[in-house]
Structures are given as C-alpha cells and as structure tokens.
Amino acid sequence: MEGKLLKQLSQSISTLRLEHSLGTRDLAVKLGNRYGLDKERVVMAALLHDCARELGNDRLTEFALQEGLVVGEAEKEMPVFLHGPVGAVIARKEYGVTDLKVLRAITLHTTGAQKMGLLDKVLFVADKVEPGRKYSGVEELRELAFNNLDKCLLFCLDRSVRHSLEKGVILHPEICEARNGALRDIIKIRP
Ligand SMILES: [Fe+2]
Ligand SMILES: [Fe+2]
C-alpha cells in the first residue's frame, strides 16, 4: 500500500517536496505511536498532505471551484490556503483514499480548525516540526510534541499567526480560530 502510494506520489511532486513529506511521515508515525493512532492512517495522511502544494494559484482556485470547496476572501487572496482541501480531493480521487479522518487531517493541515482531532493535530504538528524544518526553536517544539501535543500545536499556530503578521500577508481567520481552540484545550475553558 505504502510503496504504491509513494511511487505515484514521487511521480507528481518535486524531490524536495517528497523529502518533506517523508520527514513528515517519519515524525507523524512516531507521534502516532506515542498517542496511539492507527499507523496506516497516519502514513497516508502524512505522505499525501502536500500532494496539491505545487499546483499554481489559478489551478488551485479553478480546482476548488469545480469541486464546490469553500473559497472565501482569504483563499481568493492567497490560493495557497486551498492546497489542504484540494489535496484531500486529490487524495480521494487519485489515490483512492476513502478514510474520512485522513481526508480531514489533510484538509486542515494548513490552517487548523477550532476543533481538531488527534490525527489532525499530529499531522499539523509533524508538518511544522519535521526533521527537515530548520528554524530557531524547532528542536524544542519537536521535543514538546512528544510531551504535550496540545501545547506544541498552540505554539505552532502562534508561529503561523506571527509569520503572517511579520510578512504582512493575509491572516486566515481559521488559523485564529484554531489558535484560540488550542489555547482553550490547554487551559480547559472550552464550554
Ligand atoms: Fe502544506
Ligand atoms: Fe507540508
């Protein structure tokens, strides 16, 4: 299963992206073990999470509209936000993935969501702190992922928010929702 998927994937994304996807898979599998997730699910979600990342802006938008996906203001301005939801459609249609949890994790890996399941969190975090990621503080975040997944998720989301602010680009509203959701999970004020 994994071999076939990898072969198909390697024919449709660049070597660099494939390396990132493999790094994400390796870390996600370790985190999946730690938190008791089904390995096959984790592998599928991690390998395919960026299968639409290399589509251009026009293609992403066109694809999303064709598939009836939500294209809000933020997505119109920055179509790259669509590579999660579009990737989930490609995973379903071109890779035959039917598992809804896997498709959801792929959908949410860019912005997160107010309520995230364990697989969603593991994929989100693994994508941001896989061994190929190099930025100051990444090792600490990687370690934290094993000790406190919710805190690691919060810090990764904080980082995404900060990144948008520093770059002066659109901040996706779902990232704010996700960040507040992660914070509520930690301080347990979720209603
Ligand atoms: Fe991505
Ligand atoms: Fe990624």
Side-chain angles (χ1 to χ4, degrees):
M1 172 66 197
E2 191 178 341
K4 192 168 158 254
L5 193 155
L6 259 180
K7 191 170 174 229
Q8 191 181 344
L9 186 66
S10 64
Q11 286 160 355
S12 66
I13 60 174
S14 66
T15 312
L16 266 182
R17 188 81 51 199
L18 186 65
E19 273 171 27
H20 161 65
S21 304
L22 292 171
T24 304
R25 175 202 60 185
D26 293 345
L27 181 58
V29 165
K30 286 181 193 158
L31 288 170
N33 272 335
R34 161 75 179 82
Y35 295 108
L37 286 172
D38 175 77
K39 187 181 171 191
E40 200 177 326
R41 264 194 178 137
V42 173
V43 167
M44 275 197 293
L47 284 180
L48 292 175
H49 81 280
D50 269 344
C51 68
R53 182 64 183 83
E54 291 173 355
L55 298 180
N57 285 347
D58 292 349
R59 187 75 196 98
L60 278 172
T61 307
E62 194 185 318
F63 195 106
L65 291 172
Q66 259 172 22
E67 294 293 331
L69 302 175
V70 177
V71 181
E73 287 307 311
E75 287 84 1
K76 278 183 205 157
E77 286 150 342
M78 289 184 68
V80 68
F81 287 130
L82 291 167
H83 83 271
V86 167
V89 175
I90 292 177
R92 180 165 55 82
K93 291 194 165 176
E94 293 181 21
Y95 293 85
V97 177
T98 52
D99 189 317
L100 294 179
K101 288 194 174 173
V102 171
L103 297 175
R104 179 180 155 90
I106 296 173
T107 301
L108 299 183
H109 88 269
T110 316
T111 60
Q114 202 203 348
K115 286 198 176 167
M116 295 174 76
L118 195 52
L119 181 63
D120 304 332
K121 291 177 180 178
V122 162
L123 178 60
F124 191 94
V125 160
D127 177 33
K128 309 300 177 290
V129 304
E130 58 97 359
R133 298 278 196 191
K134 309 279 180 227
Y135 52 84
S136 112
V138 70
E139 284 91 1
E140 288 80 356
L141 280 176
R142 203 176 297 134
E143 206 182 307
L144 183 60
F146 289 90
N147 299 323
N148 191 330
L149 186 65
D150 282 331
K151 249 191 197 169
C152 183
L153 175 69
L154 175 68
F155 292 159
C156 287
L157 285 159
D158 282 354
R159 213 180 151 267
S160 293
V161 172
R162 223 176 286 123
H163 182 78
S164 300
L165 299 181
E166 280 162 10
K167 280 199 126 185
V169 296
I170 294 296
L171 175 56
H172 197 292
E174 202 60 34
I175 294 182
C176 297
E177 293 287 352
R179 184 265 175 192
N180 290 342
L183 185 62
R184 288 187 189 110
D185 274 348
I186 288 170
I187 57 178
K188 307 287 182 227
I189 54 167
R190 195 182 278 287

